[in-house]
Amino acid sequence: MNSTQPSFVYTAQPARVVFGRGTLAQLPQEVQALGASRALVLCTPEQRQQAQLAADMLGTLSVGIFDGAQMHVPIEGARRARAYSASLGADCMVAIGGGSTIGLGKAIALESSVPIIAVPTTYAGSEMTPIYGITEDNLKKTGRDLRVLPKTVLYDPDLSVGLPVRMSMVSGMNAIAHAAEGLYAKDGNPVMSLMAEEGIRAMAAGLRGVAAQSDDLAARSDCLYGAWLCGSVLGHVGMALHHKLCHTLGGTFNLPHAETHTIVLPHAMAYNSKAAPEAMRRVARAIGADTAPAGLFDLAKDLGAPTALKDIGFKESDIEQALNVALANPYWNPAPIEAERVRELLNNAWAGRRPT
Ligand code: NAD
């Protein structure tokens, strides 16, 4: 918030957060607190074991497991899950996993209003937002609806220890991107900015700890705390050029979600650095760097995360198409959207140049 005389509207979204090691054991009470008794546990095939652990803890409060969660929530999978949930008479979803699994829970809740208990095992932040996305005919449709906002979120660091280090790093950088753009959001407010800066600080510290030792539970805990704060920022305020570019690159060129965020972020910050100096100061302070754009680039590099789009399958010859898609329906952004500057941004992100 730049102004010395702030003016804003802040609508806080309800969220019950249960945080700490071993909190998965509190699932039964949390299901009952929602007045539910027939929980369907959702997961990806890879996380079946964690889902089984949750189902075992729930005992008779669980009616089964659906292990068909997929990246980008394809409509066919969502329909199967909706039908399965209805056939079991499920009155609550326990989504254990990352953004894809929580996204599947949201697709079910959108139609049925069945409440979601989210148990995040990545740092993507979907658990704190009323934003859903469903992919139909190769097109990801997103929207906002309070019915999909999880009622309860259980953050248990023990469950994220198995998240591979590389995935942890890019997932954490994805979370930092939410908070960084939240710091210059058109509809931002001082409370969100506090959460954003603290979220970036905690995430950067946690990621450095996890990079050094992947089963460091204090570091895993910092990351989840950061994920909560950064996800909350994403849920409350609008995003700008960075998120628009990442949605374009993910949607049109099928680039991996979290890696794309990691690579584009320093360049989006460079694009906005003159227009949003206070946000830049706060990002830099949170990560302990002199400037936000170069600091975020160095952070990604130090963490062993990718820093060039050319290394994740994006072709230089695709830059023009990406530019056209991104400019066709731009989000609000603190700096004016100028084709030449966005082209330069994409070029720098493609090549992996360190912003100056
Ligand atoms: P993901 O959910 O796709 O998970 C990636 C893989 O990691 C999966 O195979 C999963 O099973 C596995 N995994 C997750 N946690 C693990 C753990 N602890 N140990 C071992 N394996 C684990 O990845 P993501 O980055 O969390 O989510 C990305 C998706 O979420 C994207 O589709 C994105 O658009 C969406 N998203 C949505 C929002 C929102 O607000 N709606 C916010 C952020 C991301």
Side-chain angles (χ1 to χ4, degrees):
M1 177 96 359
N2 276 325
S3 168
T4 48
Q5 294 182 329
S7 164
F8 56 86
V9 174
Y10 170 39
T11 308
Q13 283 159 10
R16 174 175 166 83
V17 170
V18 181
F19 195 103
R21 283 194 70 186
T23 44
L24 186 68
Q26 293 176 37
L27 252 187
Q29 295 100 290
E30 294 304 327
V31 167
Q32 285 172 317
L34 292 176
S37 59
R38 300 181 63 77
L40 176 63
V41 182
L42 308 175
C43 64
T44 60
E46 298 82 38
Q47 286 183 277
R48 173 87 201 189
Q49 226 178 336
Q50 281 182 330
Q52 190 62 57
L53 186 67
D56 290 347
M57 278 179 176
L58 287 169
T60 55
L61 292 171
S62 166
V63 289
I65 297 175
F66 182 88
D67 66 2
Q70 289 168 274
M71 190 74 152
H72 301 310
V73 195
I75 185 75
E76 301 76 20
R79 286 194 182 121
R80 267 195 303 125
R82 283 168 179 162
Y84 189 58
S85 163
S87 73
L88 294 171
D91 58 5
C92 159
M93 302 292 139
V94 173
I96 181 161
S100 300
T101 304
I102 295 166
L104 177 65
K106 288 177 169 182
I108 298 170
L110 188 63
E111 281 213 335
S112 62
S113 296
V114 168
I116 302 170
I117 297 179
V119 187
T121 62
T122 71
Y123 310 130
S126 176
E127 67 278 3
M128 296 308 297
T129 83
I131 305 164
Y132 61 87
I134 299 174
T135 304
E136 191 167 6
D137 297 331
N138 281 330
L139 214 76
K140 189 161 178 177
K141 291 185 195 144
T142 59
R144 279 178 175 262
D145 193 312
L146 270 181
R147 280 178 301 176
V148 311
L149 180 71
K151 296 278 181 290
T152 307
V153 183
L154 282 180
Y155 286 107
D156 185 340
D158 287 344
L159 301 174
S160 57
V161 166
L163 187 65
V165 171
R166 183 186 159 101
M167 225 191 271
S168 303
M169 299 305 132
V170 292
S171 186
M173 292 300 293
N174 182 190
I176 287 177
H178 308 327
E181 287 225 296
L183 280 166
Y184 53 57
K186 187 167 73 164
D187 54 353
N189 66 70
V191 176
M192 279 302 116
S193 294
L194 280 176
M195 292 178 88
E197 186 176 344
E198 172 66 356
I200 296 170
R201 186 206 60 74
M203 184 61 81
L207 291 177
R208 288 184 177 116
V210 171
Q213 190 191 329
S214 70
D215 63 352
D216 178 341
L217 279 157
R220 289 283 181 187
S221 191
D222 275 346
C223 290
L224 275 184
Y225 169 55
W228 165 27
L229 298 179
C230 295
S232 191
V233 173
L234 174 68
H236 281 88
V237 302
M239 297 288 112
L241 177 65
H242 169 78
H243 278 72
K244 176 70 192 184
L245 288 175
C246 291
H247 290 165
T248 301
L249 293 167
T252 310
F253 303 97
N254 207 22
L255 297 189
H257 177 84
E259 282 84 349
T260 306
H261 272 276
T262 305
I263 295 165
V264 173
L265 184 62
H267 304 285
M269 291 294 116
Y271 190 101
N272 284 328
S273 64
K274 285 207 179 76
E278 172 69 2
M280 298 302 143
R281 200 177 59 76
R282 294 185 80 156
V283 171
R285 184 167 66 191
I287 60 174
D290 291 337
T291 67
L296 288 167
F297 183 91
D298 294 343
L299 177 63
K301 208 164 183 162
D302 291 349
L303 296 174
T307 52
L309 290 176
K310 66 178 178 187
D311 294 339
I312 60 162
F314 186 63
K315 296 201 284 293
E316 191 175 16
S317 55
D318 285 334
I319 289 178
E320 272 320 293
Q321 193 192 346
L323 181 68
N324 291 336
V325 178
L327 296 189
N329 185 15
Y331 295 179
W332 176 89
N333 189 62
I337 300 294
E338 292 163 6
E340 200 39 55
R341 288 197 67 209
V342 179
R343 184 181 290 114
E344 188 189 335
L345 183 169
L346 286 168
N347 252 309
N348 288 336
W350 174 80
R353 287 188 197 99
R354 181 178 187 268
T356 48

